[in-house]
């Protein structure tokens, strides 16, 4: 019985820890952050004021770093003429360290075919 109570107590403590910050907004009293709590679902996320989650500053910093990271767009490959012609992959290409199963090889060939003939 004591073990179950201790486990319940520890679980409730985990619910009070921020696992990840998902979004931010400007609230009436300053910035607010959408917090995902440990061992709870995303549907249980709540908006919290910065001063209420000060002890989880590391998560706030991670969120701000993700937000400020520049994502470079990949170069546009243009239309089909810039892409090589489609050729079927062999069952064991030299660049592949493992072995593809038949259905995997068929799927990869279909993807490459679709990409070449977009």
């Amino acid at each position: 019985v004591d073990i179950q109570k201790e486990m319940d107590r520890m679980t409730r403590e985990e619910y009070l820890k921020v696992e990840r910050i998902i979004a931010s907004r400007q609230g009436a009293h300053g910035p607010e952050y959408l917090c995902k709590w440990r061992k709870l679902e995303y549907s249980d996320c709540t908006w919290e004021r910065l001063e209420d989650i000060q002890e989880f500053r590391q998560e706030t910093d991670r969120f701000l770093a993700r937000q400020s990271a520049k994502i470079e767009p990949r170069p546009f490959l243009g239309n089909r003429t810039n892409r090589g012609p489609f050729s079927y992959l062999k069952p064991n290409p030299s660049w592949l360290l493992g072995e593809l199963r038949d259905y995997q090889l068929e799927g990869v060939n279909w993807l490459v075919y679709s990409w070449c003939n977009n």
Side-chain angles (χ1 to χ4, degrees):
V1 177
D2 290 336
I3 294 173
Q4 185 62 40
K5 286 182 181 179
E6 181 65 21
M7 288 176 58
D8 290 344
R9 185 186 64 76
M10 290 173 66
T11 301
R12 283 192 303 274
E13 288 175 4
E14 286 294 306
Y15 292 160
L16 301 174
K17 295 177 183 173
V18 174
E19 179 179 327
R20 181 183 175 104
I21 294 179
I22 301 168
S24 66
R25 69 181 181 189
Q26 189 62 35
H29 302 289
E32 295 179 343
Y33 295 94
L34 185 60
C35 299
K36 197 280 186 199
W37 302 97
R38 287 190 188 168
K39 298 196 179 201
L40 290 176
E41 302 295 325
Y42 278 92
S43 60
D44 296 319
C45 293
T46 58
W47 288 100
E48 303 295 332
R49 294 183 310 172
L50 181 60
E51 53 269 9
D52 294 337
I53 55 171
Q54 277 297 329
E55 63 186 281
F56 304 105
R57 186 67 185 181
Q58 183 179 12
E59 294 305 322
T60 327
D61 293 342
R62 285 183 186 158
F63 170 75
L64 294 173
R66 283 194 312 270
Q67 292 297 102
S68 66
K70 290 186 178 182
I71 299 174
E72 296 293 325
R74 289 189 272 173
F76 180 65
L77 295 175
N79 57 21
R80 295 189 286 227
T81 58
N82 295 345
R83 301 175 187 176
F86 171 71
S87 61
Y88 282 95
L89 288 176
K90 298 177 183 177
N92 292 318
S94 60
W95 49 265
L96 186 66
L97 299 176
E99 184 176 324
L100 291 175
R101 297 176 187 256
D102 292 339
Y103 66 90
Q104 292 171 319
L105 183 61
E106 182 180 346
V108 170
N109 277 318
W110 179 82
L111 287 171
V112 173
Y113 174 81
S114 296
W115 183 76
C116 289
N117 297 301
N118 185 8

